[in-house]
Amino acid sequence: MSIEDKIILKIRDLSVSTDGNQILNGLNLTVKKGETHAIMGPNGSGKSTLAKTVAGHPDYLITSGKIKFLNKDLSSMSVNERSNLGLFLGFQYPIEIPGLSNTAFLKAAINAQRKFYDLEDISAHDFLLQLKSTADQLGLDQSFLSRGVNEGFSGGEKKRNEIMQMLMLNPKLSILDETDSGLDIDSMKVVARGVNSSRSEDSSTIIITHYERLLNYLVPDYVHVFFDGKIIKTGNLELANELEKKGYEWLIQKK
Amino acid sequence: MVNSKKIKSLFDNSKLDLNLSLSSEYPVWFQDFKQKSLDRFKEHNIPSVTDNEWKYTKIDSLLELLFNREVLNRIDPKELPDKNIVSDKDAICIHFHNGQYFASSDLPNHIKIFSKTHDKDIFKNLFKSDINPQRSFLSDMNSIIFSDTLLIKTLQNQKVDTEIHIINHSHYDSIIAPRVHIHVAENSSLKIFEHVKSSTQSVISHLMTIFCEADSNLEFYKLIEQQKDTHFLSTQTAQMAENSKVNCFSWDFGAKTSTTNTLAELDGKKSEFHYSALFTPSHDHHSGNQLRVEHNANKTKSRIKIRGVLNDQSKGVFFGKIKVNEDVLGTSAFMENKNLLISDDATISTQPILEIYNDDTECSHSATSGSIDEEKLFYIQSRGIPEIAAKQYLIGSFIKELINEITSIKIKTLLQNNFQYIDNQS
Ligand SMILES: Nc1ncnc2c1ncn2[C@@H]1O[C@H](COP(=O)(O)OP(=O)(O)O)[C@@H](O)[C@H]1O
Ligand SMILES: [Mg+2]
């Protein structure tokens, strides 16, 4: 296997603006198969902007640089194609869609992915079996499945629902944007277990978080510090521990 | 009114022969009725687009179709549909083709069809010129054109569980006037589904009257599927006695002109009128919805939910008025119009009006219009679902509330099949 084949995500010199404001400023990041990366950094430093840009949100304009996912240029790819290829974004603020049931939504998502790979629709039986066991694994009651997508869910329930979607879609790269924010310890453990269960040699995860807590469960290969639209320092779990104690100030000043 | 030219002026140049000299099978009073309707129709002003009822409609095209011809309909026997279309065994199906009775299941006693009935006098009261309280352009137009009539009239205490399906087809270049009279007798109930399927270049002038006696109950569903160059003009009235209840649902897909004019008179105390309507025009179609509810007795209740989904360059109109009379107590009225514009070129004009002359009224009304929520769209797409389907899901979720309120499983299924993205999980 060549080195290129091992790379899942390669971001080079990425600059992104929204509403005329430059948010990302020449960002570089390479994620290889099987790796887990953590991104930490102060509010407003552009972490969600990075996540949404990779997923293809129309509000974010790439002004320079390149994003390659599985060695394919993402810039001309639709949001759904990126997902079909194996990209998953766990939203910082999952969206509520009343009137579209969780179950129908997930089934449509899975079938869209299968269609992309020229596979037939999943059988109702297999789908329900998989859905039930995933919901059980995440401690989501069956009643959530028939409710509207995220409709009236608590913060924690929404985040578990994101992880449920991730597990059902079985992505190659998951970007989890503050999936641990607002979770109590038990919920966080459930989420961490969910993420851990999805890890494999072929898939990778980027965790955007403010807390070392989750990282202690997941043990990332790299911890990046994000500031002003780029990565200013990279280390390992120890860096996360240090950030937890000292905050970000010392790093920013040193810079 | 700016345009005060009368219909009469169009008739002068028209080659149209309405053929009012009907065969001798038809009683004299019927011929009288036709003649009177024609005389009255001629006295109407030519509709004006400044009128709410005609806003955004293509009147010129309508009038041209109406008057620029020699006969209303050419019936070509070769074009008749297959008589075996009556297949649904769980429902009573009645087919009209080009406005004339065509085929049906065996008809029970409570259903009468004018052209089939020997004793035509049972229809006499219905054709008194003042039966329809909206003596409008629309109702007079129906009266001069129609050639057959359906009367559904229950007996006291008769609960009819079998759904009645009325199917109206038309074919190319026809002018038809379906006419349905529903009389729900004391403490009886009915379920009716009407499906209008128009063909190119046709004009459909539809009239329906509902009369509900005390303690009666009517469920009515209507699906209007149209061709793009059809003109569909509909007028419907409901007169309701004490404790009666009407539940109405309709779905209009829009046409060159599509206008539905509804009047509900809550004359008996504790009567209830529930009306839900969906309109989903696309292309350069039009869909107009005029509605008037009059609370004329104590403790009456109205629930109006109107939703529009407008695509392309289509235009929609909602004009709704709820009136509560001065001496009426304990009214509960609710009127809501929500619109989803899925194209930048679509237009909606909405005007919910309350005219309340008594303080002892609990009422609310609202009207909102918006476009597809971009964040919802992104979220759905981010799970691999293509944009077109994602939009359809959002439209489905927008109209689902109304579909969910339909109690007839059969009709709900039929509508869901019509629109694949309404997810049928509740
Ligand atoms: N859609 C948007 N429109 C305008 N400004 C935005 C938008 N999204 C993000 N921003 C701005 O970009 C900056 C970075 O935001 P974000 O990426 O959400 O940061 P983080 O996730 O690191 O907290 C902030 O100043 C925010 O106000
Ligand atoms: Mg963020």
Side-chain angles (χ1 to χ4, degrees):
Chain A
M1 211 187 324
S2 78
I3 212 54
E4 285 299 312
D5 291 335
K6 283 190 185 153
I7 293 174
I8 279 206
L9 183 74
K10 188 171 181 175
I11 298 176
R12 279 293 159 269
D13 187 35
L14 182 69
S15 294
V16 169
S17 71
T18 182
D19 257 0
N21 299 319
Q22 191 78 17
I23 313 289
L24 300 187
N25 298 301
L27 174 85
N28 291 298
L29 178 67
T30 302
V31 178
K32 297 205 197 79
K33 283 185 182 165
E35 288 178 351
T36 299
H37 291 235
I39 294 179
M40 304 181 84
N43 291 327
S45 57
K47 304 182 296 295
S48 294
T49 300
L50 169 65
K52 287 197 233 173
T53 304
V54 174
H57 194 292
D59 283 356
Y60 299 91
L61 183 72
I62 297 180
T63 52
S64 75
K66 257 206 165 65
I67 309 174
K68 277 191 161 183
F69 176 57
L70 297 169
N71 217 9
K72 290 189 178 72
D73 185 2
L74 278 188
S75 59
S76 60
M77 223 180 269
S78 68
V79 177
N80 42 294
E81 280 172 325
R82 298 175 199 218
S83 160
N84 294 151
L85 275 178
L87 180 72
F88 182 87
L89 171 60
F91 282 55
Q92 182 175 3
Y93 304 108
I95 308 289
E96 296 196 17
I97 309 173
L100 173 59
S101 78
N102 238 345
T103 304
F105 178 50
L106 266 171
K107 197 168 179 184
I110 285 178
N111 283 333
Q113 190 184 56
R114 292 176 67 90
K115 194 171 175 192
F116 183 81
Y117 292 106
D118 277 331
L119 295 171
E120 278 178 18
D121 280 3
I122 189 168
S123 79
H125 176 80
D126 290 353
F127 172 73
L128 286 174
L129 223 59
Q130 197 184 336
L131 184 67
K132 203 182 159 332
S133 77
T134 314
D136 283 350
Q137 183 188 343
L138 293 167
L140 274 173
D141 193 83
Q142 298 291 312
S143 66
F144 283 94
L145 303 175
S146 55
R147 271 163 68 179
V149 175
N150 294 320
E151 186 183 3
F153 287 21
S154 74
E157 288 158 356
K158 283 181 182 165
K159 296 298 174 71
R160 287 185 201 210
N161 203 26
E162 293 292 287
I163 299 299
M164 179 162 84
Q165 294 173 13
M166 180 188 84
L167 293 176
M168 295 285 288
L169 287 170
N170 195 21
K172 301 201 172 71
L173 174 66
S174 304
I175 304 176
L176 302 176
D177 192 357
E178 296 202 26
T179 301
D180 56 338
S181 291
L183 295 190
D184 57 42
I185 288 282
D186 291 336
S187 300
M188 202 204 59
K189 282 185 189 164
V190 170
V191 166
R193 248 181 270 137
V195 175
N196 272 330
S197 77
S198 77
R199 287 165 88 170
S200 75
E201 275 177 24
D202 290 330
S203 66
S204 317
T205 314
I206 298 175
I207 315 259
I208 297 171
T209 181
H210 284 298
Y211 311 104
E212 172 207 20
R213 252 181 6 175
L214 179 68
L215 300 182
N216 287 333
Y217 285 99
L218 298 181
V219 194
D221 303 295
Y222 300 95
V223 174
H224 307 284
V225 181
F226 216 79
F227 182 71
D228 197 20
K230 55 177 173 285
I231 290 167
I232 56 166
K233 189 174 175 67
T234 295
N236 55 20
L237 194 55
E238 264 171 49
L239 176 60
N241 293 329
E242 206 172 347
L243 289 171
E244 180 85 18
K245 284 189 208 97
K246 298 206 246 170
Y248 299 110
E249 282 303 309
W250 62 280
L251 265 177
I252 296 163
Q253 262 135 40
K254 222 161 78 180
K255 188 184 152 254
Chain B
M1 192 170 279
V2 194
N3 190 349
S4 57
K5 238 170 110 186
K6 291 201 187 304
I7 291 286
K8 211 162 31 183
S9 66
L10 296 170
F11 264 87
D12 294 341
N13 307 321
S14 166
K15 293 165 281 181
L16 178 62
D17 176 11
L18 284 170
N19 196 10
L20 291 181
S21 48
L22 299 149
S23 79
S24 56
E25 281 170 54
Y26 289 86
V28 178
W29 58 257
F30 183 67
Q31 313 213 10
D32 264 9
F33 165 77
K34 279 278 194 182
Q35 188 59 51
K36 278 198 186 116
S37 305
L38 177 61
D39 294 343
R40 236 188 12 236
F41 185 65
K42 286 180 175 176
E43 290 305 318
H44 283 290
N45 289 326
I46 295 173
S48 155
V49 278
T50 56
D51 204 344
N52 261 316
E53 200 171 308
W54 297 95
K55 194 165 184 173
Y56 298 140
T57 56
K58 300 179 181 71
I59 293 169
D60 291 346
S61 147
L62 167 66
L63 294 177
E64 184 172 327
L65 271 181
L66 266 181
F67 293 103
N68 200 10
R69 60 168 66 212
E70 283 160 29
V71 289
L72 287 173
N73 294 309
R74 275 171 281 261
I75 300 269
D76 183 348
K78 285 196 297 267
E79 288 181 47
L80 284 175
D82 182 359
K83 287 232 179 204
N84 293 326
I85 43 184
V86 183
S87 57
D88 190 337
K89 290 195 171 51
D90 305 323
I92 301 161
C93 298
I94 311 162
H95 290 258
F96 289 86
H97 184 72
N98 271 0
Q100 294 188 2
Y101 169 75
F102 167 66
S104 70
S105 328
D106 290 336
L107 293 181
N109 267 335
H110 57 275
I111 301 176
K112 297 273 191 307
I113 292 161
F114 190 56
S115 62
K116 267 185 86 180
T117 316
H118 295 297
D119 180 14
K120 296 201 168 12
D121 282 355
I122 52 168
F123 282 81
K124 193 169 173 179
N125 277 333
L126 294 169
F127 294 145
K128 278 196 203 131
S129 52
D130 49 4
I131 178 77
N132 188 339
Q134 305 204 101
R135 246 180 298 143
S136 61
F137 177 87
L138 292 180
S139 66
D140 286 337
M141 182 168 149
N142 176 280
S143 298
I144 61 170
I145 297 170
F146 86 93
S147 53
D148 214 337
T149 298
L150 175 63
L151 169 63
I152 303 171
K153 185 174 183 178
T154 53
L155 298 171
Q156 263 185 31
N157 306 319
Q158 184 183 12
K159 313 268 187 211
V160 185
D161 283 329
T162 316
E163 276 162 17
I164 299 168
H165 285 204
I166 308 164
I167 299 104
N168 269 299
H169 324 248
S170 71
H171 69 237
Y172 174 73
D173 195 31
S174 54
I175 295 184
I176 65 166
R179 194 173 173 109
V180 185
H181 297 287
I182 301 165
H183 187 132
V184 201
E186 196 177 318
N187 193 37
S188 70
S189 66
L190 271 177
K191 285 180 203 149
I192 300 173
F193 170 65
E194 183 176 12
H195 194 168
V196 179
K197 297 179 190 175
S198 77
S199 183
T200 357
Q201 298 251 322
S202 47
V203 177
I204 302 178
S205 166
H206 193 286
L207 182 143
M208 176 169 80
T209 65
I210 295 169
F211 185 74
C212 286
E213 289 185 26
D215 303 305
S216 65
N217 195 313
L218 172 68
E219 270 177 53
F220 193 93
Y221 305 95
K222 194 166 177 171
L223 179 63
I224 310 158
E225 275 186 283
Q226 324 202 54
Q227 299 289 329
K228 60 179 184 330
D229 45 8
T230 306
H231 294 272
F232 177 80
L233 315 161
S234 155
T235 175
Q236 47 197 25
T237 57
Q239 286 171 280
M240 301 177 58
E242 196 171 318
N243 260 322
S244 64
K245 192 168 172 184
V246 169
N247 249 309
C248 220
F249 171 89
S250 82
W251 189 344
D252 169 26
F253 285 82
K256 192 161 221 164
T257 297
S258 180
T259 167
T260 296
N261 205 311
T262 309
L263 169 67
E265 294 173 303
L266 298 156
D267 295 333
K269 71 170 193 236
K270 291 188 171 170
S271 51
E272 277 185 36
F273 182 67
H274 295 239
Y275 185 79
S276 298
L278 271 177
F279 57 101
T280 54
S282 53
H283 304 96
D284 64 342
H285 296 179
H286 162 270
S287 179
N289 306 271
Q290 279 74 35
L291 177 82
R292 219 163 75 232
V293 182
E294 293 184 2
H295 290 263
N296 299 327
N298 291 346
K299 296 191 170 163
T300 52
K301 188 169 166 182
S302 60
R303 290 282 172 277
I304 314 298
K305 290 184 183 176
I306 313 285
R307 293 204 179 176
V309 179
L310 297 107
N311 204 349
D312 306 323
Q313 302 88 268
S314 63
K315 292 180 159 63
V317 180
F318 171 67
F319 179 86
K321 186 191 265 184
I322 290 183
K323 187 173 172 194
V324 178
N325 283 315
E326 206 174 346
D327 46 358
V328 167
L329 302 171
T331 301
S332 165
F334 170 87
M335 175 163 55
E336 174 197 82
N337 171 226
K338 288 188 181 174
N339 304 298
L340 182 64
L341 298 148
I342 50 177
S343 145
D344 292 341
D345 301 321
T347 315
I348 178 76
S349 161
T350 172
Q351 221 179 328
I353 297 172
L354 297 177
E355 257 183 46
I356 315 274
Y357 298 105
N358 190 304
D359 287 343
D360 185 18
T361 297
E362 181 190 287
C363 73
S364 69
H365 75 304
S366 65
T368 55
S369 301
S371 46
I372 292 258
D373 185 319
E374 293 296 330
E375 295 304 321
K376 286 182 183 168
L377 193 63
F378 175 65
Y379 189 70
I380 297 178
Q381 277 181 274
S382 79
R383 300 306 181 234
I385 298 167
E387 181 175 354
I388 294 175
K391 277 191 179 166
Q392 294 295 319
Y393 281 114
L394 288 175
I395 295 166
S397 75
F398 177 77
I399 63 183
K400 194 175 166 199
E401 186 187 330
L402 296 198
I403 305 280
N404 267 353
E405 286 170 2
I406 294 173
T407 48
S408 161
I409 291 170
K410 200 166 168 173
I411 286 155
K412 201 161 153 178
T413 313
L414 191 142
L415 295 176
Q416 274 164 345
N417 293 343
N418 226 290
F419 189 89
Q420 59 167 313
Y421 295 103
I422 300 174
D423 99 59
N424 43 22
Q425 316 261 335
S426 56

